[in-house]
Structure formats: structure tokens, C-alpha cells
Amino acid sequence: ASARFSNGCEVHLDRVPLVRRASEILDMYVGEAENALAAAFAEAEREDAVLILDEVDTFLYGRSMAMHSWEVSLVNELLVQMEHFHGLMIATTNRLEGLDTACIRRFQVKVNFDYLTDLGKRALFQKMLAPLAEGPAPTSALRRLETLTLAAGDFRLVRDRFALEGQARHEELVEALAEEDKVRSRQEGGRVAGFMAR
């Protein structure tokens, strides 16, 4: 695993990632989710892997909002596992405000991945979308791109959509990105993207 930060610093770990999503943790039977969570931590420690809990807000919500006792016990289990884990764990979320406050305190490092800069938007456009259109992207399309608030996932969605539809114009690709910007803005009522690491 490796990461490059905006200050030019690079971090390399000689470890493999072990990703666990909510679908692999949650279970319809009481107690099974806790067992799956404990097993994930045990496997990561045994394999000396970096444990990545993706979209952790699915099962790490505030206990004050819990409607059932099993919801509280799942958060409690995660807290216990974190306390006794001898390894590196990363949790991802887009809903930091909904997480249990006691859990948030246990993360030693909290990193926010903001939306892309103009340079980042241009780079992803050239790499992921420009190959779907003929010729170089016109300056007007690139200027329009800079007015949008975008994440890397927006480019993936548009690429996948137009890969099925076939050849597109650069302007169409930028307009599709603008649609993604509008949809997210309406859904979120704001612009929050978060990531937490320990």
C-alpha cells in the first residue's frame, strides 16, 4: 500500500490491504455481525494486513440514535476491537457527522479528502474522459470544468456511462459531469467528503 500527499510526501507500507464492506459484516441474525467484525480484525492482525472498513458509517452510527440493542452492541464490539487491535486500520466515510463520538476519538488521524482542484479535474478529464471523444478538448469545455465541484467518482460514473453509449463530444462529457455536481449538491445540501484513518 502507498499514498502520496499534497506536500509531496510519500508513504509506503509493505502490507496488503484487507477490505471489509458493510455487506460482508452485517447479518440478519443477532450477534453474527459482531462475529464478522471480530473475524476481520483477527485476520488483519494474523496476516499483518491494513484493515480497511469501507463506508464505516453503515455500522458505526451514534449510539444515542440507536433504535435496537443490537445496534449498540455492534458499535461496542467495534470499540473493543479497536482498543485491542495491534495493527493499522483505516475507516472510510462520507458521513463523519453521523459517527459515534466515542469511536471518532479513538482514531489517531483524521484526514479529509476534499473535492478536486482545477488541476485535478483537468488531469482526470484528460486521463478518463478525453479518450472517449475525438481531438483535443476545447478551451471552453475545460473552463466549464473548472466551475464544477467534482470528486474522482464523478469521472468514473461519466466514463462508465459514455463507454456504453460510444463516442461523445468533449462538451457532452463536461455537461454530464455538471449533472453529477447538481445531483450531489441537491442530495447533500452541502459539500462534505470525509476519510478517517488510524
Side-chain angles (χ1 to χ4, degrees):
S2 65
R4 177 188 284 271
F5 296 90
S6 59
N7 63 2
C9 177
E10 288 188 40
V11 176
H12 299 274
L13 297 173
D14 191 21
R15 298 185 188 187
V16 296
L18 175 66
V19 181
R20 287 293 178 267
R21 295 173 180 85
S23 60
E24 298 168 279
I25 300 290
L26 298 177
D27 195 282
M28 64 183 292
Y29 298 106
V30 174
E32 289 304 310
E34 289 88 337
N35 291 337
L37 197 56
F41 276 90
E43 182 180 352
E45 195 161 324
R46 188 173 60 250
E47 302 294 330
D48 197 26
V50 178
L51 178 60
I52 302 174
L53 297 179
D54 192 26
E55 301 294 350
V56 75
D57 49 275
T58 308
F59 47 86
L60 192 53
Y61 33 74
R63 286 171 288 183
S64 61
M65 303 294 289
M67 306 274 294
H68 308 283
S69 61
W70 60 265
E71 294 173 313
V72 174
S73 67
L74 183 56
V75 176
N76 289 342
E77 180 64 28
L78 183 54
L79 289 171
V80 169
Q81 291 297 331
M82 288 172 67
E83 286 291 321
H84 295 95
F85 184 53
H86 299 291
L88 183 63
M89 175 193 142
I90 297 173
T92 70
T93 182
N94 288 321
R95 302 182 179 278
L96 183 63
E97 68 283 353
L99 298 187
D100 188 85
T101 54
C103 288
I104 292 173
R105 285 195 303 271
R106 282 171 169 79
F107 286 96
Q108 296 168 351
V109 179
K110 300 165 188 72
V111 180
N112 178 57
F113 284 94
D114 211 342
Y115 291 101
L116 295 166
T117 63
D118 289 344
L119 184 63
K121 287 182 276 189
R122 280 186 179 234
L124 280 184
F125 186 85
Q126 295 297 348
K127 182 173 183 173
M128 298 177 72
L129 301 182
L132 300 173
E134 271 189 41
T139 305
S140 59
L142 295 176
R143 281 202 199 106
R144 170 87 168 111
L145 188 65
E146 291 176 358
T147 67
L148 306 175
T149 303
L150 299 167
D154 297 320
F155 287 84
R156 181 182 50 79
L157 287 170
V158 171
R159 181 201 61 197
D160 293 350
R161 177 179 140 198
F162 280 90
L164 293 173
E165 294 179 8
Q167 196 75 22
R169 292 183 302 109
H170 290 286
E171 293 84 357
E172 287 178 292
L173 296 167
V174 172
E175 202 48 47
L177 287 169
E179 289 171 20
E180 294 301 324
D181 181 24
K182 283 181 195 170
V183 168
R184 184 184 50 254
S185 183
R186 280 197 302 266
Q187 285 179 335
E188 293 181 356
R191 305 191 183 282
V192 178
F195 181 93
M196 295 173 58
R198 175 176 181 240

